[in-house]
PDB file of all heavy atoms in Angstrom:
ATOM      1  N   ASN N   1       9.397  -5.038  -2.212  1.00 94.00           N
ATOM      2  CA  ASN N   1      10.744  -4.719  -2.664  1.00 94.00           C
ATOM      3  C   ASN N   1      11.321  -5.836  -3.493  1.00 94.00           C
ATOM      4  O   ASN N   1      12.466  -5.828  -3.871  1.00 94.00           O
ATOM      5  CB  ASN N   1      11.660  -4.637  -1.379  1.00 94.00           C
ATOM      6  CG  ASN N   1      11.676  -5.765  -0.485  1.00 94.00           C
ATOM      7  OD1 ASN N   1      10.948  -6.736  -0.787  1.00 94.00           O
ATOM      8  ND2 ASN N   1      12.546  -5.813   0.552  1.00 94.00           N
ATOM      9  N   GLY N   2      10.458  -6.721  -3.965  1.00 94.00           N
ATOM     10  CA  GLY N   2      10.797  -7.732  -4.982  1.00 94.00           C
ATOM     11  C   GLY N   2      10.473  -7.192  -6.367  1.00 94.00           C
ATOM     12  O   GLY N   2      10.296  -8.026  -7.333  1.00 94.00           O
ATOM     13  N   LEU N   3      10.253  -5.883  -6.540  1.00 94.00           N
ATOM     14  CA  LEU N   3       9.855  -5.247  -7.785  1.00 94.00           C
ATOM     15  C   LEU N   3      10.923  -4.160  -8.106  1.00 94.00           C
ATOM     16  O   LEU N   3      11.339  -3.381  -7.257  1.00 94.00           O
ATOM     17  CB  LEU N   3       8.470  -4.644  -7.723  1.00 94.00           C
ATOM     18  CG  LEU N   3       8.099  -3.720  -8.953  1.00 94.00           C
ATOM     19  CD1 LEU N   3       7.784  -4.562 -10.132  1.00 94.00           C
ATOM     20  CD2 LEU N   3       6.819  -2.923  -8.596  1.00 94.00           C
ATOM     21  N   VAL N   4      11.332  -4.071  -9.399  1.00 92.00           N
ATOM     22  CA  VAL N   4      12.143  -3.011  -9.866  1.00 92.00           C
ATOM     23  C   VAL N   4      11.219  -1.987 -10.528  1.00 92.00           C
ATOM     24  O   VAL N   4      10.813  -2.285 -11.713  1.00 92.00           O
ATOM     25  CB  VAL N   4      13.307  -3.508 -10.785  1.00 92.00           C
ATOM     26  CG1 VAL N   4      14.092  -2.296 -11.296  1.00 92.00           C
ATOM     27  CG2 VAL N   4      14.223  -4.457 -10.101  1.00 92.00           C
ATOM     28  N   SER N   5      10.847  -0.998  -9.881  1.00 87.00           N
ATOM     29  CA  SER N   5       9.886  -0.010 -10.464  1.00 87.00           C
ATOM     30  C   SER N   5      10.786   1.316 -10.671  1.00 87.00           C
ATOM     31  O   SER N   5      11.300   1.869  -9.764  1.00 87.00           O
ATOM     32  CB  SER N   5       8.850   0.326  -9.459  1.00 87.00           C
ATOM     33  OG  SER N   5       7.921   1.325  -9.980  1.00 87.00           O
ATOM     34  N   THR N   6      10.824   1.678 -11.913  1.00 76.00           N
ATOM     35  CA  THR N   6      11.750   2.723 -12.263  1.00 76.00           C
ATOM     36  C   THR N   6      11.200   3.704 -13.337  1.00 76.00           C
ATOM     37  O   THR N   6      10.634   3.176 -14.324  1.00 76.00           O
ATOM     38  CB  THR N   6      13.161   2.118 -12.774  1.00 76.00           C
ATOM     39  OG1 THR N   6      13.994   3.243 -13.204  1.00 76.00           O
ATOM     40  CG2 THR N   6      12.934   1.234 -13.919  1.00 76.00           C
ATOM     41  N   PRO N   7      11.465   4.937 -13.235  1.00 70.00           N
ATOM     42  CA  PRO N   7      11.073   5.870 -14.283  1.00 70.00           C
ATOM     43  C   PRO N   7      12.207   6.034 -15.278  1.00 70.00           C
ATOM     44  O   PRO N   7      12.131   6.718 -16.252  1.00 70.00           O
ATOM     45  CB  PRO N   7      10.938   7.191 -13.446  1.00 70.00           C
ATOM     46  CG  PRO N   7      11.907   7.141 -12.361  1.00 70.00           C
ATOM     47  CD  PRO N   7      11.921   5.699 -11.940  1.00 70.00           C
ATOM     48  N   ASP N   8      13.336   5.325 -15.076  1.00 63.00           N
ATOM     49  CA  ASP N   8      14.462   5.338 -16.017  1.00 63.00           C
ATOM     50  C   ASP N   8      14.193   4.518 -17.215  1.00 63.00           C
ATOM     51  O   ASP N   8      14.214   3.323 -17.119  1.00 63.00           O
ATOM     52  CB  ASP N   8      15.746   4.824 -15.285  1.00 63.00           C
ATOM     53  CG  ASP N   8      17.015   5.083 -16.069  1.00 63.00           C
ATOM     54  OD1 ASP N   8      16.903   5.410 -17.290  1.00 63.00           O
ATOM     55  OD2 ASP N   8      18.114   4.915 -15.570  1.00 63.00           O
ATOM     56  N   THR N   9      13.922   5.161 -18.293  1.00 69.00           N
ATOM     57  CA  THR N   9      13.587   4.432 -19.501  1.00 69.00           C
ATOM     58  C   THR N   9      14.748   4.250 -20.390  1.00 69.00           C
ATOM     59  O   THR N   9      14.738   4.426 -21.622  1.00 69.00           O
ATOM     60  CB  THR N   9      12.464   5.196 -20.241  1.00 69.00           C
ATOM     61  OG1 THR N   9      12.897   6.506 -20.537  1.00 69.00           O
ATOM     62  CG2 THR N   9      11.194   5.166 -19.563  1.00 69.00           C
ATOM     63  N   THR N  10      15.918   3.848 -19.815  1.00 80.00           N
ATOM     64  CA  THR N  10      17.082   3.490 -20.614  1.00 80.00           C
ATOM     65  C   THR N  10      17.436   2.063 -20.232  1.00 80.00           C
ATOM     66  O   THR N  10      17.310   1.609 -19.131  1.00 80.00           O
ATOM     67  CB  THR N  10      18.295   4.361 -20.240  1.00 80.00           C
ATOM     68  OG1 THR N  10      18.664   4.194 -18.922  1.00 80.00           O
ATOM     69  CG2 THR N  10      17.974   5.850 -20.536  1.00 80.00           C
ATOM     70  N   ALA N  11      17.829   1.277 -21.276  1.00 81.00           N
ATOM     71  CA  ALA N  11      18.262  -0.059 -21.058  1.00 81.00           C
ATOM     72  C   ALA N  11      19.336  -0.178 -20.092  1.00 81.00           C
ATOM     73  O   ALA N  11      19.476  -1.097 -19.234  1.00 81.00           O
ATOM     74  CB  ALA N  11      18.624  -0.657 -22.439  1.00 81.00           C
ATOM     75  N   ALA N  12      20.358   0.781 -20.163  1.00 81.00           N
ATOM     76  CA  ALA N  12      21.456   0.755 -19.291  1.00 81.00           C
ATOM     77  C   ALA N  12      21.060   0.892 -17.853  1.00 81.00           C
ATOM     78  O   ALA N  12      21.554   0.220 -16.943  1.00 81.00           O
ATOM     79  CB  ALA N  12      22.523   1.885 -19.669  1.00 81.00           C
ATOM     80  N   GLY N  13      20.163   1.889 -17.623  1.00 83.00           N
ATOM     81  CA  GLY N  13      19.651   2.037 -16.228  1.00 83.00           C
ATOM     82  C   GLY N  13      18.962   0.855 -15.701  1.00 83.00           C
ATOM     83  O   GLY N  13      19.091   0.518 -14.527  1.00 83.00           O
ATOM     84  N   ILE N  14      18.252   0.098 -16.474  1.00 85.00           N
ATOM     85  CA  ILE N  14      17.535  -1.028 -16.092  1.00 85.00           C
ATOM     86  C   ILE N  14      18.453  -2.204 -15.668  1.00 85.00           C
ATOM     87  O   ILE N  14      18.336  -2.782 -14.673  1.00 85.00           O
ATOM     88  CB  ILE N  14      16.515  -1.500 -17.132  1.00 85.00           C
ATOM     89  CG1 ILE N  14      15.391  -0.437 -17.208  1.00 85.00           C
ATOM     90  CG2 ILE N  14      15.946  -2.856 -16.837  1.00 85.00           C
ATOM     91  CD1 ILE N  14      14.474  -0.601 -18.439  1.00 85.00           C
ATOM     92  N   TYR N  15      19.390  -2.465 -16.633  1.00 80.00           N
ATOM     93  CA  TYR N  15      20.279  -3.622 -16.255  1.00 80.00           C
ATOM     94  C   TYR N  15      21.261  -3.382 -15.161  1.00 80.00           C
ATOM     95  O   TYR N  15      21.712  -4.255 -14.492  1.00 80.00           O
ATOM     96  CB  TYR N  15      20.919  -4.286 -17.473  1.00 80.00           C
ATOM     97  CG  TYR N  15      21.845  -3.463 -18.334  1.00 80.00           C
ATOM     98  CD1 TYR N  15      22.916  -2.838 -17.876  1.00 80.00           C
ATOM     99  CD2 TYR N  15      21.582  -3.340 -19.753  1.00 80.00           C
ATOM    100  CE1 TYR N  15      23.803  -2.052 -18.708  1.00 80.00           C
ATOM    101  CE2 TYR N  15      22.396  -2.631 -20.576  1.00 80.00           C
ATOM    102  CZ  TYR N  15      23.482  -1.936 -20.040  1.00 80.00           C
ATOM    103  OH  TYR N  15      24.335  -1.243 -20.860  1.00 80.00           O
ATOM    104  N   GLN N  16      21.472  -2.082 -14.958  1.00 82.00           N
ATOM    105  CA  GLN N  16      22.310  -1.751 -13.722  1.00 82.00           C
ATOM    106  C   GLN N  16      21.485  -1.970 -12.449  1.00 82.00           C
ATOM    107  O   GLN N  16      22.063  -2.441 -11.412  1.00 82.00           O
ATOM    108  CB  GLN N  16      22.759  -0.313 -13.814  1.00 82.00           C
ATOM    109  CG  GLN N  16      23.887  -0.115 -14.860  1.00 82.00           C
ATOM    110  CD  GLN N  16      24.157   1.403 -15.017  1.00 82.00           C
ATOM    111  OE1 GLN N  16      23.611   2.234 -14.382  1.00 82.00           O
ATOM    112  NE2 GLN N  16      25.076   1.683 -15.966  1.00 82.00           N
ATOM    113  N   ARG N  17      20.134  -1.812 -12.463  1.00 85.00           N
ATOM    114  CA  ARG N  17      19.367  -2.057 -11.304  1.00 85.00           C
ATOM    115  C   ARG N  17      19.106  -3.502 -11.110  1.00 85.00           C
ATOM    116  O   ARG N  17      19.160  -4.034  -9.994  1.00 85.00           O
ATOM    117  CB  ARG N  17      17.949  -1.291 -11.540  1.00 85.00           C
ATOM    118  CG  ARG N  17      18.014   0.189 -11.383  1.00 85.00           C
ATOM    119  CD  ARG N  17      18.010   0.616  -9.889  1.00 85.00           C
ATOM    120  NE  ARG N  17      17.059   0.014  -9.079  1.00 85.00           N
ATOM    121  CZ  ARG N  17      15.782   0.475  -8.968  1.00 85.00           C
ATOM    122  NH1 ARG N  17      15.395   1.533  -9.690  1.00 85.00           N
ATOM    123  NH2 ARG N  17      14.916  -0.095  -8.189  1.00 85.00           N
ATOM    124  N   VAL N  18      18.911  -4.213 -12.215  1.00 87.00           N
ATOM    125  CA  VAL N  18      18.539  -5.632 -12.081  1.00 87.00           C
ATOM    126  C   VAL N  18      19.792  -6.554 -11.906  1.00 87.00           C
ATOM    127  O   VAL N  18      19.764  -7.528 -11.110  1.00 87.00           O
ATOM    128  CB  VAL N  18      17.734  -6.147 -13.304  1.00 87.00           C
ATOM    129  CG1 VAL N  18      17.413  -7.678 -13.249  1.00 87.00           C
ATOM    130  CG2 VAL N  18      16.500  -5.371 -13.485  1.00 87.00           C
ATOM    131  N   GLY N  19      20.892  -6.228 -12.553  1.00 87.00           N
ATOM    132  CA  GLY N  19      22.078  -6.978 -12.487  1.00 87.00           C
ATOM    133  C   GLY N  19      21.857  -8.460 -12.940  1.00 87.00           C
ATOM    134  O   GLY N  19      21.228  -8.681 -13.999  1.00 87.00           O
ATOM    135  N   ASN N  20      22.252  -9.338 -12.167  1.00 91.00           N
ATOM    136  CA  ASN N  20      22.087 -10.792 -12.523  1.00 91.00           C
ATOM    137  C   ASN N  20      20.897 -11.396 -11.797  1.00 91.00           C
ATOM    138  O   ASN N  20      20.776 -12.634 -11.744  1.00 91.00           O
ATOM    139  CB  ASN N  20      23.345 -11.658 -12.205  1.00 91.00           C
ATOM    140  CG  ASN N  20      23.899 -11.216 -10.729  1.00 91.00           C
ATOM    141  OD1 ASN N  20      23.056 -11.026  -9.843  1.00 91.00           O
ATOM    142  ND2 ASN N  20      25.153 -11.115 -10.572  1.00 91.00           N
ATOM    143  N   GLY N  21      19.899 -10.616 -11.519  1.00 94.00           N
ATOM    144  CA  GLY N  21      18.669 -11.059 -10.907  1.00 94.00           C
ATOM    145  C   GLY N  21      17.536 -11.350 -11.864  1.00 94.00           C
ATOM    146  O   GLY N  21      17.827 -11.102 -13.080  1.00 94.00           O
ATOM    147  N   SER N  22      16.443 -11.672 -11.489  1.00 95.00           N
ATOM    148  CA  SER N  22      15.231 -11.952 -12.351  1.00 95.00           C
ATOM    149  C   SER N  22      14.038 -11.290 -11.837  1.00 95.00           C
ATOM    150  O   SER N  22      12.914 -11.754 -12.134  1.00 95.00           O
ATOM    151  CB  SER N  22      15.015 -13.449 -12.483  1.00 95.00           C
ATOM    152  OG  SER N  22      14.616 -14.036 -11.211  1.00 95.00           O
ATOM    153  N   LEU N  23      14.183 -10.223 -11.064  1.00 95.00           N
ATOM    154  CA  LEU N  23      13.005  -9.524 -10.499  1.00 95.00           C
ATOM    155  C   LEU N  23      12.234  -8.882 -11.558  1.00 95.00           C
ATOM    156  O   LEU N  23      12.770  -8.387 -12.590  1.00 95.00           O
ATOM    157  CB  LEU N  23      13.499  -8.470  -9.502  1.00 95.00           C
ATOM    158  CG  LEU N  23      14.267  -8.975  -8.243  1.00 95.00           C
ATOM    159  CD1 LEU N  23      14.550  -7.785  -7.292  1.00 95.00           C
ATOM    160  CD2 LEU N  23      13.355  -9.936  -7.381  1.00 95.00           C
ATOM    161  N   PRO N  24      10.861  -8.750 -11.394  1.00 96.00           N
ATOM    162  CA  PRO N  24      10.038  -8.084 -12.370  1.00 96.00           C
ATOM    163  C   PRO N  24      10.307  -6.572 -12.458  1.00 96.00           C
ATOM    164  O   PRO N  24      10.741  -5.976 -11.557  1.00 96.00           O
ATOM    165  CB  PRO N  24       8.648  -8.341 -11.923  1.00 96.00           C
ATOM    166  CG  PRO N  24       8.760  -8.517 -10.378  1.00 96.00           C
ATOM    167  CD  PRO N  24      10.131  -9.197 -10.214  1.00 96.00           C
ATOM    168  N   ILE N  25      10.038  -6.056 -13.574  1.00 95.00           N
ATOM    169  CA  ILE N  25      10.379  -4.641 -13.892  1.00 95.00           C
ATOM    170  C   ILE N  25       9.076  -3.900 -14.333  1.00 95.00           C
ATOM    171  O   ILE N  25       8.427  -4.389 -15.226  1.00 95.00           O
ATOM    172  CB  ILE N  25      11.404  -4.446 -14.956  1.00 95.00           C
ATOM    173  CG1 ILE N  25      12.696  -5.168 -14.506  1.00 95.00           C
ATOM    174  CG2 ILE N  25      11.682  -3.046 -15.276  1.00 95.00           C
ATOM    175  CD1 ILE N  25      13.717  -5.387 -15.645  1.00 95.00           C
ATOM    176  N   ALA N  26       8.731  -2.873 -13.616  1.00 94.00           N
ATOM    177  CA  ALA N  26       7.552  -2.034 -13.984  1.00 94.00           C
ATOM    178  C   ALA N  26       7.976  -0.622 -14.456  1.00 94.00           C
ATOM    179  O   ALA N  26       8.690   0.065 -13.697  1.00 94.00           O
ATOM    180  CB  ALA N  26       6.597  -1.915 -12.809  1.00 94.00           C
ATOM    181  N   ILE N  27       7.519  -0.189 -15.588  1.00 92.00           N
ATOM    182  CA  ILE N  27       7.854   1.094 -16.208  1.00 92.00           C
ATOM    183  C   ILE N  27       6.589   1.855 -16.545  1.00 92.00           C
ATOM    184  O   ILE N  27       5.940   1.433 -17.478  1.00 92.00           O
ATOM    185  CB  ILE N  27       8.781   0.945 -17.340  1.00 92.00           C
ATOM    186  CG1 ILE N  27      10.129   0.248 -16.963  1.00 92.00           C
ATOM    187  CG2 ILE N  27       9.200   2.365 -17.897  1.00 92.00           C
ATOM    188  CD1 ILE N  27      11.108   0.004 -18.147  1.00 92.00           C
ATOM    189  N   ASP N  28       6.301   2.892 -15.856  1.00 89.00           N
ATOM    190  CA  ASP N  28       5.131   3.696 -16.111  1.00 89.00           C
ATOM    191  C   ASP N  28       5.512   4.732 -17.147  1.00 89.00           C
ATOM    192  O   ASP N  28       6.662   5.238 -17.199  1.00 89.00           O
ATOM    193  CB  ASP N  28       4.567   4.315 -14.895  1.00 89.00           C
ATOM    194  CG  ASP N  28       3.206   4.861 -14.999  1.00 89.00           C
ATOM    195  OD1 ASP N  28       2.553   4.577 -16.059  1.00 89.00           O
ATOM    196  OD2 ASP N  28       2.691   5.587 -14.145  1.00 89.00           O
ATOM    197  N   GLU N  29       4.569   5.169 -18.018  1.00 86.00           N
ATOM    198  CA  GLU N  29       4.809   6.203 -19.008  1.00 86.00           C
ATOM    199  C   GLU N  29       5.889   5.943 -19.946  1.00 86.00           C
ATOM    200  O   GLU N  29       6.687   6.869 -20.237  1.00 86.00           O
ATOM    201  CB  GLU N  29       4.902   7.508 -18.281  1.00 86.00           C
ATOM    202  CG  GLU N  29       3.752   7.921 -17.416  1.00 86.00           C
ATOM    203  CD  GLU N  29       3.970   9.282 -16.696  1.00 86.00           C
ATOM    204  OE1 GLU N  29       4.990   9.871 -16.888  1.00 86.00           O
ATOM    205  OE2 GLU N  29       3.043   9.752 -16.014  1.00 86.00           O
ATOM    206  N   LEU N  30       5.870   4.738 -20.562  1.00 87.00           N
ATOM    207  CA  LEU N  30       6.837   4.453 -21.640  1.00 87.00           C
ATOM    208  C   LEU N  30       6.152   4.951 -22.982  1.00 87.00           C
ATOM    209  O   LEU N  30       5.659   4.180 -23.747  1.00 87.00           O
ATOM    210  CB  LEU N  30       7.095   2.899 -21.756  1.00 87.00           C
ATOM    211  CG  LEU N  30       8.265   2.548 -22.628  1.00 87.00           C
ATOM    212  CD1 LEU N  30       9.600   2.896 -21.994  1.00 87.00           C
ATOM    213  CD2 LEU N  30       8.238   1.106 -23.024  1.00 87.00           C
ATOM    214  N   GLU N  31       6.278   6.250 -23.160  1.00 86.00           N
ATOM    215  CA  GLU N  31       5.481   6.902 -24.170  1.00 86.00           C
ATOM    216  C   GLU N  31       6.261   7.029 -25.517  1.00 86.00           C
ATOM    217  O   GLU N  31       7.516   7.083 -25.545  1.00 86.00           O
ATOM    218  CB  GLU N  31       5.151   8.346 -23.738  1.00 86.00           C
ATOM    219  CG  GLU N  31       4.289   8.491 -22.511  1.00 86.00           C
ATOM    220  CD  GLU N  31       2.825   7.922 -22.680  1.00 86.00           C
ATOM    221  OE1 GLU N  31       2.446   7.927 -23.852  1.00 86.00           O
ATOM    222  OE2 GLU N  31       2.189   7.704 -21.678  1.00 86.00           O
ATOM    223  N   ALA N  32       5.520   7.009 -26.620  1.00 84.00           N
ATOM    224  CA  ALA N  32       6.094   7.285 -27.960  1.00 84.00           C
ATOM    225  C   ALA N  32       6.686   8.708 -27.933  1.00 84.00           C
ATOM    226  O   ALA N  32       6.174   9.661 -27.328  1.00 84.00           O
ATOM    227  CB  ALA N  32       5.100   7.101 -29.010  1.00 84.00           C
ATOM    228  N   ALA N  33       7.782   8.882 -28.715  1.00 79.00           N
ATOM    229  CA  ALA N  33       8.357  10.232 -28.868  1.00 79.00           C
ATOM    230  C   ALA N  33       8.784  10.384 -30.283  1.00 79.00           C
ATOM    231  O   ALA N  33       8.750   9.498 -31.101  1.00 79.00           O
ATOM    232  CB  ALA N  33       9.593  10.388 -27.879  1.00 79.00           C
ATOM    233  N   ALA N  34       9.295  11.579 -30.616  1.00 73.00           N
ATOM    234  CA  ALA N  34       9.787  11.901 -31.957  1.00 73.00           C
ATOM    235  C   ALA N  34      10.977  10.973 -32.294  1.00 73.00           C
ATOM    236  O   ALA N  34      11.198  10.546 -33.370  1.00 73.00           O
ATOM    237  CB  ALA N  34      10.177  13.358 -32.149  1.00 73.00           C
ATOM    238  N   ASP N  35      11.817  10.757 -31.248  1.00 78.00           N
ATOM    239  CA  ASP N  35      12.992   9.898 -31.415  1.00 78.00           C
ATOM    240  C   ASP N  35      12.755   8.657 -30.367  1.00 78.00           C
ATOM    241  O   ASP N  35      12.854   8.931 -29.191  1.00 78.00           O
ATOM    242  CB  ASP N  35      14.271  10.633 -31.103  1.00 78.00           C
ATOM    243  CG  ASP N  35      15.528   9.751 -31.333  1.00 78.00           C
ATOM    244  OD1 ASP N  35      15.318   8.526 -31.566  1.00 78.00           O
ATOM    245  OD2 ASP N  35      16.563  10.327 -31.320  1.00 78.00           O
ATOM    246  N   ASN N  36      12.476   7.508 -30.945  1.00 84.00           N
ATOM    247  CA  ASN N  36      12.166   6.396 -30.046  1.00 84.00           C
ATOM    248  C   ASN N  36      13.333   5.457 -29.811  1.00 84.00           C
ATOM    249  O   ASN N  36      13.189   4.397 -29.295  1.00 84.00           O
ATOM    250  CB  ASN N  36      11.006   5.567 -30.678  1.00 84.00           C
ATOM    251  CG  ASN N  36       9.687   6.322 -30.578  1.00 84.00           C
ATOM    252  OD1 ASN N  36       9.291   6.677 -29.452  1.00 84.00           O
ATOM    253  ND2 ASN N  36       8.989   6.442 -31.667  1.00 84.00           N
ATOM    254  N   ARG N  37      14.496   5.872 -30.096  1.00 84.00           N
ATOM    255  CA  ARG N  37      15.743   4.959 -29.982  1.00 84.00           C
ATOM    256  C   ARG N  37      15.839   4.550 -28.528  1.00 84.00           C
ATOM    257  O   ARG N  37      16.196   3.317 -28.312  1.00 84.00           O
ATOM    258  CB  ARG N  37      16.943   5.628 -30.540  1.00 84.00           C
ATOM    259  CG  ARG N  37      17.023   5.657 -32.103  1.00 84.00           C
ATOM    260  CD  ARG N  37      18.218   6.380 -32.552  1.00 84.00           C
ATOM    261  NE  ARG N  37      18.215   7.796 -32.189  1.00 84.00           N
ATOM    262  CZ  ARG N  37      19.189   8.673 -32.585  1.00 84.00           C
ATOM    263  NH1 ARG N  37      20.257   8.279 -33.207  1.00 84.00           N
ATOM    264  NH2 ARG N  37      19.086   9.920 -32.199  1.00 84.00           N
ATOM    265  N   ARG N  38      15.715   5.408 -27.515  1.00 86.00           N
ATOM    266  CA  ARG N  38      15.977   5.060 -26.184  1.00 86.00           C
ATOM    267  C   ARG N  38      14.836   4.073 -25.707  1.00 86.00           C
ATOM    268  O   ARG N  38      15.164   3.042 -25.017  1.00 86.00           O
ATOM    269  CB  ARG N  38      15.994   6.300 -25.306  1.00 86.00           C
ATOM    270  CG  ARG N  38      16.339   6.004 -23.874  1.00 86.00           C
ATOM    271  CD  ARG N  38      16.544   7.273 -23.078  1.00 86.00           C
ATOM    272  NE  ARG N  38      15.247   7.955 -22.867  1.00 86.00           N
ATOM    273  CZ  ARG N  38      15.034   8.963 -22.135  1.00 86.00           C
ATOM    274  NH1 ARG N  38      16.099   9.439 -21.495  1.00 86.00           N
ATOM    275  NH2 ARG N  38      13.881   9.552 -21.933  1.00 86.00           N
TER     276      ARG N  38
END
């Protein structure tokens, strides 16, 4: 539980989970898409 493992590939979703902590973040399937802005 010292890991932030999330399928949410948005920056907003990540910093809402991490907050002011420094826990590691694991994101599976960060795939290229037609629109890569997110």
Side-chain angles (χ1 to χ4, degrees):
N1 59 357
L3 171 73
V4 177
S5 180
T6 174
D8 188 347
T9 54
T10 64
I14 291 170
Y15 57 61
Q16 286 171 4
R17 287 283 306 277
V18 177
N20 45 37
S22 65
L23 296 179
I25 299 167
I27 301 177
D28 196 7
E29 299 181 359
L30 191 75
E31 301 287 342
D35 184 350
N36 285 308
R37 283 178 294 182
R38 188 174 67 173

